[in-house]
Amino acid sequence: MRVILYFLVLTSIPLTRVYGVGLEFGIYGFELFLKEKQNTKPLEVPNWDFHNQRWGQVFRNDAYLNRSSGESGFVGLKDKNNRNQIHWDLDAKLTTGPETGLRNYYLGKNHFLGYQSKLFFLGVGRREHLFSPKSFSTQYDGSEGLFLEIKPESNLTFQLMIWDFYSGSLLLSKDQFHGLLRKESSSEFLTSEKKNEGFSRSHHRRHSFGIHYGESNSLRFGVHYLELGSFGPNTKDHPSETKKNSADGDSLFSGNFGFGIQFETLSFAFDFLWCKGSDRTRSQIAEKPGTIPIAGEAIQIGTELKLGDFKIRSSHFLSDTAETNQNHQIVKEGYISMGTHPSQTPYLSQIFRMFPSAAVTESGYEKNFALIEGRAFGYLTELVLSYQYQQVIVKLIGNYFVPYHQNGLLDGRIHFQKRQFEKFFVAEGMLEVALKTEEGFELGVGLSQLYLPESMGISSNFGYVYGRYQI
């Protein structure tokens, strides 16, 4: 009922008062069925379970059934225009808020205002990184702050993100179902840190520089520097430095180099990703007390084939591992990603939100070997089959993730052999049907099924409907 009233208020706004600025509003309804059964069969990997940290103890003792449903809504402002030398590209959404599992507002991929001269564009706000990897169609990273763009030729762009208040590059499309389990769960399942955190976001300083060259055939290169400080649970472990300097010296350099080739019916994208840095720590898990070096690599590959009204896209992400010694101490950490989750299915990208590597999200630097909020090194693949008939679009999406072994000696490299990975996998299949009209109306329904090993004793499916209208 709350969303219906919200919808009516939005439609009653007099359009003559917005002077041509575009409005967008939408509603979502969803239902989750999740069942955990008592299971005597041992887990393939004892360290992996449904929950991490304090959640797991409750769920191991009692069988659990969660059937949750809800709704949410948003109203958005969209406008792209210029007046004299002032250019703007606005895209922001106000939502129904934390009571419906959302943050109060979300920015779009671009939301900025700036000054355009013959030589450069200087802007402030959120700006998409044109040099980001393109293998996964919905993956996104962008800066929030002050940026400079230079375009000496029509197909060559230099981007300098002078000051970026990095907080995970959140988008509504990547976060609309993220709070579903957390919103429905009892407070006894949450740590005291999570209770106090709520939907708060930490902002930390990041600087980026990137180059994008070409159109249908393109080259891209980018580098980032992020001052982690005590940003995230994996950095808060050097008390004296944190107390003295409000940070413990953790920092991260990362970058990517890639290219894209596009033919009439076939396209291909490849990106090599790397990171280097240091995690200062006194933890006994470090081989050398004081610091853990960060030196990781990953690769992304994507291909897309168009056959009439059919489109097939295959995307792949493969990271390296951490490096350990014979005492299971960490010699160096592996690859750490930034930006949104690569995939687009609700379980892997939002409800559980399992990243295929360590990651710096809105909560900071995290590395967890668990289903909920997992940040585990491994292999992620996504297959999308879509068909469009006039205004109807049908999508079949499959996601598959398998992590590396965490037991034994790890060499910190990228591996392709099956024996280097765990015995189990996490997979998801999804069907979405949507109607999109030229007038800006969109209506859709989606169904998703989670696939886990029988020994985990979990079965779950998820459904949602949505409507969106742009004026």
Side-chain angles (χ1 to χ4, degrees):
M1 180 61 68
R2 185 192 307 114
V3 173
I4 296 176
L5 294 175
Y6 185 72
F7 185 87
L8 292 175
V9 170
L10 296 179
T11 56
S12 66
I13 298 175
L15 300 181
T16 56
R17 296 184 180 180
V18 299
Y19 301 102
V21 174
L23 290 178
E24 178 184 17
F25 47 87
I27 56 174
Y28 293 88
F30 47 85
E31 186 150 5
L32 171 74
F33 293 88
L34 188 147
K35 185 175 183 181
E36 186 176 36
K37 305 175 183 178
Q38 293 285 3
N39 193 0
T40 57
K41 185 178 179 180
L43 286 170
E44 284 90 342
V45 183
N47 293 334
W48 281 79
D49 205 344
F50 181 49
H51 296 286
N52 65 7
Q53 299 177 355
R54 302 180 188 178
W55 290 51
Q57 190 61 41
V58 175
F59 282 74
R60 290 189 191 100
N61 293 339
D62 302 295
Y64 178 71
L65 173 65
N66 185 354
R67 176 181 176 181
S68 59
S69 60
E71 64 281 324
S72 60
F74 70 89
V75 59
L77 177 148
K78 299 186 72 172
D79 187 41
K80 186 175 183 179
N81 212 328
N82 66 86
R83 179 170 296 178
N84 297 327
Q85 293 178 297
I86 304 300
H87 289 239
W88 61 87
D89 188 348
L90 305 179
D91 186 0
K93 296 178 177 65
L94 298 177
T95 75
T96 46
E99 291 184 358
T100 57
L102 299 175
R103 288 166 174 79
N104 290 318
Y105 73 93
Y106 293 86
L107 300 181
K109 291 184 177 181
N110 291 292
H111 182 78
F112 61 82
L113 172 71
Y115 172 80
Q116 177 74 62
S117 74
K118 294 181 180 180
L119 300 177
F120 64 86
F121 179 79
L122 181 65
V124 60
R126 172 178 278 188
R127 179 62 170 128
E128 181 178 7
H129 292 170
L130 302 178
F131 52 86
S132 292
K134 307 298 181 185
S135 302
F136 288 79
S137 60
T138 63
Q139 189 174 10
Y140 170 80
D141 195 6
S143 295
E144 297 178 28
L146 182 67
F147 65 92
L148 175 69
E149 290 187 3
I150 301 174
K151 199 167 185 177
E153 299 178 11
S154 60
N155 59 352
L156 176 61
T157 303
F158 296 90
Q159 287 188 308
L160 175 62
M161 307 306 174
I162 302 171
W163 193 279
D164 173 17
F165 297 93
Y166 179 77
S167 59
S169 301
L170 287 174
L171 297 171
L172 176 60
S173 60
K174 290 284 190 176
D175 201 53
Q176 56 198 5
F177 306 129
H178 181 213
L180 183 57
L181 285 181
R182 296 143 191 82
K183 178 172 69 72
E184 294 294 332
S185 300
S186 169
S187 60
E188 66 180 306
F189 300 145
L190 301 176
T191 64
S192 59
E193 181 181 353
K194 289 295 183 181
K195 288 180 184 179
N196 296 328
E197 180 183 352
F199 287 106
S200 63
R201 293 161 58 181
S202 298
H203 299 264
H204 276 251
R205 177 168 56 93
R206 183 173 69 162
H207 308 282
S208 306
F209 173 75
I211 303 171
H212 183 272
Y213 175 74
E215 296 177 358
S216 57
N217 299 324
S218 61
L219 293 172
R220 49 187 171 270
F221 168 79
V223 292
H224 311 271
Y225 171 76
L226 177 64
E227 185 62 55
L228 285 170
S230 55
F231 185 23
N234 279 67
T235 60
K236 300 176 182 178
D237 48 14
H238 206 296
S240 61
E241 290 291 330
T242 301
K243 183 177 180 180
K244 181 180 178 181
N245 302 318
S246 298
D248 60 7
D250 297 341
S251 59
L252 182 67
F253 277 99
S254 64
N256 67 284
F257 173 77
F259 62 89
I261 301 174
Q262 185 172 343
F263 302 99
E264 185 176 353
T265 60
L266 180 67
S267 61
F268 176 81
F270 173 84
D271 284 276
F272 174 76
L273 305 97
W274 57 271
C275 69
K276 289 186 179 296
S278 62
D279 177 13
R280 300 188 61 174
T281 179
R282 291 178 177 175
S283 173
Q284 296 299 315
I285 65 173
E287 181 186 45
K288 296 179 180 179
T291 185
I292 299 177
I294 300 171
E297 296 87 27
I299 57 175
Q300 284 194 17
I301 300 174
T303 58
E304 184 175 277
L305 177 64
K306 297 179 181 179
L307 299 172
D309 295 326
F310 287 92
K311 190 184 298 183
I312 303 173
R313 186 179 186 90
S314 178
S315 306
H316 308 267
F317 177 98
L318 180 62
S319 70
D320 61 0
T321 69
E323 182 179 345
T324 60
N325 60 21
Q326 294 179 348
N327 297 322
H328 305 291
Q329 293 174 312
I330 299 177
V331 178
K332 73 173 182 68
E333 286 288 8
Y335 179 72
I336 302 173
S337 67
M338 287 189 283
T340 65
H341 194 284
S343 68
Q344 56 185 301
T345 53
Y347 280 104
L348 266 69
S349 69
Q350 297 186 50
I351 299 175
F352 287 171
R353 204 166 65 150
M354 296 179 61
F355 280 79
S357 68
V360 183
T361 67
E362 74 277 7
S363 301
Y365 169 36
E366 299 176 304
K367 186 178 72 171
N368 301 317
F369 302 105
L371 294 182
I372 285 189
E373 299 298 336
R375 314 283 186 261
F377 306 110
Y379 168 64
L380 172 71
T381 181
E382 179 177 85
L383 180 65
V384 181
L385 172 63
S386 62
Y387 172 73
Q388 182 169 359
Y389 176 73
Q390 295 181 358
Q391 297 176 332
V392 178
I393 301 174
V394 181
K395 286 185 180 181
L396 284 171
I397 306 173
N399 265 307
Y400 174 92
F401 171 68
V402 56
Y404 282 112
H405 280 301
Q406 293 304 317
N407 298 325
L409 198 64
L410 303 177
D411 60 8
R413 299 177 181 177
I414 296 175
H415 290 280
F416 300 91
Q417 300 90 347
K418 184 178 180 180
R419 64 176 182 273
Q420 300 292 338
F421 295 87
E422 296 286 13
K423 298 178 182 179
F424 73 94
F425 63 88
V426 179
E428 179 179 3
M430 172 183 164
L431 169 66
E432 182 180 273
V433 181
L435 171 67
K436 295 183 179 181
T437 68
E438 296 179 355
E439 292 77 17
F441 176 74
E442 184 177 350
L443 181 66
V445 58
L447 297 172
S448 185
Q449 176 70 47
L450 181 67
Y451 298 93
L452 293 173
E454 184 181 352
S455 61
M456 288 189 176
I458 300 167
S459 61
S460 184
N461 51 68
F462 178 71
Y464 61 92
V465 295
Y466 68 92
R468 183 183 296 127
Y469 186 53
Q470 297 181 13
I471 301 175

